mmCIF file with all atom_site columns, all heavy atoms in Angstrom:
data_model
loop_
_atom_site.group_PDB
_atom_site.id
_atom_site.type_symbol
_atom_site.label_atom_id
_atom_site.label_alt_id
_atom_site.label_comp_id
_atom_site.label_asym_id
_atom_site.label_entity_id
_atom_site.label_seq_id
_atom_site.pdbx_PDB_ins_code
_atom_site.Cartn_x
_atom_site.Cartn_y
_atom_site.Cartn_z
_atom_site.occupancy
_atom_site.B_iso_or_equiv
_atom_site.pdbx_formal_charge
_atom_site.auth_seq_id
_atom_site.auth_comp_id
_atom_site.auth_asym_id
_atom_site.auth_atom_id
_atom_site.pdbx_PDB_model_num
ATOM 1   N N   . GLY A 1 13 ? -113.725 -25.489 -80.296  1.00 91.00 ? 13 GLY A N   1
ATOM 2   C CA  . GLY A 1 13 ? -112.561 -26.358 -80.178  1.00 91.00 ? 13 GLY A CA  1
ATOM 3   C C   . GLY A 1 13 ? -111.430 -25.831 -81.069  1.00 91.00 ? 13 GLY A C   1
ATOM 4   O O   . GLY A 1 13 ? -111.532 -24.769 -81.695  1.00 91.00 ? 13 GLY A O   1
ATOM 5   N N   . MET A 1 14 ? -110.330 -26.546 -81.159  1.00 94.00 ? 14 MET A N   1
ATOM 6   C CA  . MET A 1 14 ? -109.156 -26.151 -81.959  1.00 94.00 ? 14 MET A CA  1
ATOM 7   C C   . MET A 1 14 ? -108.738 -27.316 -82.853  1.00 94.00 ? 14 MET A C   1
ATOM 8   O O   . MET A 1 14 ? -108.545 -28.442 -82.379  1.00 94.00 ? 14 MET A O   1
ATOM 9   C CB  . MET A 1 14 ? -107.993 -25.769 -81.059  1.00 94.00 ? 14 MET A CB  1
ATOM 10  C CG  . MET A 1 14 ? -106.751 -25.302 -81.817  1.00 94.00 ? 14 MET A CG  1
ATOM 11  S SD  . MET A 1 14 ? -107.001 -23.693 -82.600  1.00 94.00 ? 14 MET A SD  1
ATOM 12  C CE  . MET A 1 14 ? -107.129 -22.633 -81.162  1.00 94.00 ? 14 MET A CE  1
ATOM 13  N N   . LEU A 1 15 ? -108.683 -27.060 -84.148  1.00 92.00 ? 15 LEU A N   1
ATOM 14  C CA  . LEU A 1 15 ? -108.179 -28.030 -85.106  1.00 92.00 ? 15 LEU A CA  1
ATOM 15  C C   . LEU A 1 15 ? -106.764 -27.631 -85.508  1.00 92.00 ? 15 LEU A C   1
ATOM 16  O O   . LEU A 1 15 ? -106.562 -26.519 -85.996  1.00 92.00 ? 15 LEU A O   1
ATOM 17  C CB  . LEU A 1 15 ? -109.088 -28.095 -86.342  1.00 92.00 ? 15 LEU A CB  1
ATOM 18  C CG  . LEU A 1 15 ? -110.545 -28.454 -86.094  1.00 92.00 ? 15 LEU A CG  1
ATOM 19  C CD1 . LEU A 1 15 ? -111.334 -28.383 -87.409  1.00 92.00 ? 15 LEU A CD1 1
ATOM 20  C CD2 . LEU A 1 15 ? -110.636 -29.861 -85.504  1.00 92.00 ? 15 LEU A CD2 1
ATOM 21  N N   . THR A 1 16 ? -105.805 -28.482 -85.298  1.00 90.00 ? 16 THR A N   1
ATOM 22  C CA  . THR A 1 16 ? -104.392 -28.134 -85.548  1.00 90.00 ? 16 THR A CA  1
ATOM 23  C C   . THR A 1 16 ? -103.775 -29.163 -86.486  1.00 90.00 ? 16 THR A C   1
ATOM 24  O O   . THR A 1 16 ? -103.830 -30.372 -86.215  1.00 90.00 ? 16 THR A O   1
ATOM 25  C CB  . THR A 1 16 ? -103.596 -28.075 -84.251  1.00 90.00 ? 16 THR A CB  1
ATOM 26  O OG1 . THR A 1 16 ? -104.214 -27.120 -83.350  1.00 90.00 ? 16 THR A OG1 1
ATOM 27  C CG2 . THR A 1 16 ? -102.150 -27.677 -84.528  1.00 90.00 ? 16 THR A CG2 1
ATOM 28  N N   . VAL A 1 17 ? -103.189 -28.674 -87.583  1.00 91.00 ? 17 VAL A N   1
ATOM 29  C CA  . VAL A 1 17 ? -102.406 -29.514 -88.494  1.00 91.00 ? 17 VAL A CA  1
ATOM 30  C C   . VAL A 1 17 ? -100.949 -29.107 -88.319  1.00 91.00 ? 17 VAL A C   1
ATOM 31  O O   . VAL A 1 17 ? -100.593 -27.933 -88.531  1.00 91.00 ? 17 VAL A O   1
ATOM 32  C CB  . VAL A 1 17 ? -102.842 -29.335 -89.953  1.00 91.00 ? 17 VAL A CB  1
ATOM 33  C CG1 . VAL A 1 17 ? -101.935 -30.163 -90.865  1.00 91.00 ? 17 VAL A CG1 1
ATOM 34  C CG2 . VAL A 1 17 ? -104.291 -29.732 -90.140  1.00 91.00 ? 17 VAL A CG2 1
ATOM 35  N N   . THR A 1 18 ? -100.124 -30.027 -87.882  1.00 89.00 ? 18 THR A N   1
ATOM 36  C CA  . THR A 1 18 ? -98.703  -29.735 -87.682  1.00 89.00 ? 18 THR A CA  1
ATOM 37  C C   . THR A 1 18 ? -97.905  -30.100 -88.938  1.00 89.00 ? 18 THR A C   1
ATOM 38  O O   . THR A 1 18 ? -98.362  -30.853 -89.809  1.00 89.00 ? 18 THR A O   1
ATOM 39  C CB  . THR A 1 18 ? -98.157  -30.515 -86.490  1.00 89.00 ? 18 THR A CB  1
ATOM 40  O OG1 . THR A 1 18 ? -98.295  -31.915 -86.733  1.00 89.00 ? 18 THR A OG1 1
ATOM 41  C CG2 . THR A 1 18 ? -98.894  -30.134 -85.205  1.00 89.00 ? 18 THR A CG2 1
ATOM 42  N N   . GLU A 1 19 ? -96.702  -29.539 -88.996  1.00 92.00 ? 19 GLU A N   1
ATOM 43  C CA  . GLU A 1 19 ? -95.842  -29.830 -90.132  1.00 92.00 ? 19 GLU A CA  1
ATOM 44  C C   . GLU A 1 19 ? -95.498  -31.308 -90.187  1.00 92.00 ? 19 GLU A C   1
ATOM 45  O O   . GLU A 1 19 ? -95.330  -31.968 -89.157  1.00 92.00 ? 19 GLU A O   1
ATOM 46  C CB  . GLU A 1 19 ? -94.540  -29.024 -90.041  1.00 92.00 ? 19 GLU A CB  1
ATOM 47  C CG  . GLU A 1 19 ? -94.756  -27.523 -90.182  1.00 92.00 ? 19 GLU A CG  1
ATOM 48  C CD  . GLU A 1 19 ? -93.468  -26.757 -89.991  1.00 92.00 ? 19 GLU A CD  1
ATOM 49  O OE1 . GLU A 1 19 ? -92.561  -27.282 -89.285  1.00 92.00 ? 19 GLU A OE1 1
ATOM 50  O OE2 . GLU A 1 19 ? -93.330  -25.657 -90.545  1.00 92.00 ? 19 GLU A OE2 1
ATOM 51  N N   . ASN A 1 20 ? -95.390  -31.821 -91.425  1.00 93.00 ? 20 ASN A N   1
ATOM 52  C CA  . ASN A 1 20 ? -94.989  -33.207 -91.625  1.00 93.00 ? 20 ASN A CA  1
ATOM 53  C C   . ASN A 1 20 ? -93.484  -33.315 -91.401  1.00 93.00 ? 20 ASN A C   1
ATOM 54  O O   . ASN A 1 20 ? -92.695  -32.637 -92.046  1.00 93.00 ? 20 ASN A O   1
ATOM 55  C CB  . ASN A 1 20 ? -95.355  -33.651 -93.052  1.00 93.00 ? 20 ASN A CB  1
ATOM 56  C CG  . ASN A 1 20 ? -95.212  -35.146 -93.240  1.00 93.00 ? 20 ASN A CG  1
ATOM 57  O OD1 . ASN A 1 20 ? -94.231  -35.731 -92.841  1.00 93.00 ? 20 ASN A OD1 1
ATOM 58  N ND2 . ASN A 1 20 ? -96.215  -35.739 -93.881  1.00 93.00 ? 20 ASN A ND2 1
ATOM 59  N N   . LEU A 1 21 ? -93.090  -34.167 -90.456  1.00 94.00 ? 21 LEU A N   1
ATOM 60  C CA  . LEU A 1 21 ? -91.681  -34.281 -90.101  1.00 94.00 ? 21 LEU A CA  1
ATOM 61  C C   . LEU A 1 21 ? -90.928  -35.355 -90.874  1.00 94.00 ? 21 LEU A C   1
ATOM 62  O O   . LEU A 1 21 ? -89.731  -35.601 -90.623  1.00 94.00 ? 21 LEU A O   1
ATOM 63  C CB  . LEU A 1 21 ? -91.556  -34.586 -88.604  1.00 94.00 ? 21 LEU A CB  1
ATOM 64  C CG  . LEU A 1 21 ? -92.144  -33.531 -87.658  1.00 94.00 ? 21 LEU A CG  1
ATOM 65  C CD1 . LEU A 1 21 ? -91.978  -33.970 -86.207  1.00 94.00 ? 21 LEU A CD1 1
ATOM 66  C CD2 . LEU A 1 21 ? -91.487  -32.182 -87.885  1.00 94.00 ? 21 LEU A CD2 1
ATOM 67  N N   . THR A 1 22 ? -91.584  -35.991 -91.835  1.00 94.00 ? 22 THR A N   1
ATOM 68  C CA  . THR A 1 22 ? -90.930  -37.019 -92.632  1.00 94.00 ? 22 THR A CA  1
ATOM 69  C C   . THR A 1 22 ? -89.706  -36.457 -93.335  1.00 94.00 ? 22 THR A C   1
ATOM 70  O O   . THR A 1 22 ? -89.749  -35.373 -93.924  1.00 94.00 ? 22 THR A O   1
ATOM 71  C CB  . THR A 1 22 ? -91.899  -37.593 -93.696  1.00 94.00 ? 22 THR A CB  1
ATOM 72  O OG1 . THR A 1 22 ? -93.033  -38.137 -93.029  1.00 94.00 ? 22 THR A OG1 1
ATOM 73  C CG2 . THR A 1 22 ? -91.222  -38.662 -94.531  1.00 94.00 ? 22 THR A CG2 1
ATOM 74  N N   . GLU A 1 23 ? -88.596  -37.199 -93.247  1.00 95.00 ? 23 GLU A N   1
ATOM 75  C CA  . GLU A 1 23 ? -87.371  -36.733 -93.902  1.00 95.00 ? 23 GLU A CA  1
ATOM 76  C C   . GLU A 1 23 ? -87.475  -36.925 -95.419  1.00 95.00 ? 23 GLU A C   1
ATOM 77  O O   . GLU A 1 23 ? -87.645  -38.055 -95.881  1.00 95.00 ? 23 GLU A O   1
ATOM 78  C CB  . GLU A 1 23 ? -86.155  -37.469 -93.358  1.00 95.00 ? 23 GLU A CB  1
ATOM 79  C CG  . GLU A 1 23 ? -84.836  -36.963 -93.916  1.00 95.00 ? 23 GLU A CG  1
ATOM 80  C CD  . GLU A 1 23 ? -83.640  -37.698 -93.324  1.00 95.00 ? 23 GLU A CD  1
ATOM 81  O OE1 . GLU A 1 23 ? -83.797  -38.843 -92.868  1.00 95.00 ? 23 GLU A OE1 1
ATOM 82  O OE2 . GLU A 1 23 ? -82.527  -37.132 -93.347  1.00 95.00 ? 23 GLU A OE2 1
ATOM 83  N N   . ILE A 1 24 ? -87.387  -35.851 -96.150  1.00 96.00 ? 24 ILE A N   1
ATOM 84  C CA  . ILE A 1 24 ? -87.426  -35.883 -97.619  1.00 96.00 ? 24 ILE A CA  1
ATOM 85  C C   . ILE A 1 24 ? -86.058  -35.422 -98.121  1.00 96.00 ? 24 ILE A C   1
ATOM 86  O O   . ILE A 1 24 ? -85.616  -34.306 -97.825  1.00 96.00 ? 24 ILE A O   1
ATOM 87  C CB  . ILE A 1 24 ? -88.521  -34.957 -98.186  1.00 96.00 ? 24 ILE A CB  1
ATOM 88  C CG1 . ILE A 1 24 ? -89.890  -35.275 -97.573  1.00 96.00 ? 24 ILE A CG1 1
ATOM 89  C CG2 . ILE A 1 24 ? -88.548  -35.050 -99.726  1.00 96.00 ? 24 ILE A CG2 1
ATOM 90  C CD1 . ILE A 1 24 ? -90.384  -36.657 -97.885  1.00 96.00 ? 24 ILE A CD1 1
ATOM 91  N N   . LYS A 1 25 ? -85.360  -36.309 -98.824  1.00 97.00 ? 25 LYS A N   1
ATOM 92  C CA  . LYS A 1 25 ? -84.040  -35.969 -99.375  1.00 97.00 ? 25 LYS A CA  1
ATOM 93  C C   . LYS A 1 25 ? -84.115  -35.894 -100.887 1.00 97.00 ? 25 LYS A C   1
ATOM 94  O O   . LYS A 1 25 ? -84.705  -36.761 -101.540 1.00 97.00 ? 25 LYS A O   1
ATOM 95  C CB  . LYS A 1 25 ? -82.999  -37.015 -98.978  1.00 97.00 ? 25 LYS A CB  1
ATOM 96  C CG  . LYS A 1 25 ? -82.666  -37.012 -97.494  1.00 97.00 ? 25 LYS A CG  1
ATOM 97  C CD  . LYS A 1 25 ? -81.538  -38.014 -97.189  1.00 97.00 ? 25 LYS A CD  1
ATOM 98  C CE  . LYS A 1 25 ? -81.132  -37.989 -95.734  1.00 97.00 ? 25 LYS A CE  1
ATOM 99  N NZ  . LYS A 1 25 ? -80.044  -38.954 -95.445  1.00 97.00 ? 25 LYS A NZ  1
ATOM 100 N N   . VAL A 1 26 ? -83.479  -34.880 -101.442 1.00 97.00 ? 26 VAL A N   1
ATOM 101 C CA  . VAL A 1 26 ? -83.415  -34.695 -102.887 1.00 97.00 ? 26 VAL A CA  1
ATOM 102 C C   . VAL A 1 26 ? -81.936  -34.538 -103.278 1.00 97.00 ? 26 VAL A C   1
ATOM 103 O O   . VAL A 1 26 ? -81.264  -33.605 -102.831 1.00 97.00 ? 26 VAL A O   1
ATOM 104 C CB  . VAL A 1 26 ? -84.206  -33.453 -103.350 1.00 97.00 ? 26 VAL A CB  1
ATOM 105 C CG1 . VAL A 1 26 ? -84.037  -33.248 -104.854 1.00 97.00 ? 26 VAL A CG1 1
ATOM 106 C CG2 . VAL A 1 26 ? -85.676  -33.608 -102.991 1.00 97.00 ? 26 VAL A CG2 1
#
Side-chain angles (χ1 to χ4, degrees):
M14 182 70 67
L15 301 176
T16 302
V17 177
T18 61
E19 293 177 333
N20 191 314
L21 299 179
T22 300
E23 184 179 23
I24 306 297
K25 291 184 177 181
V26 176

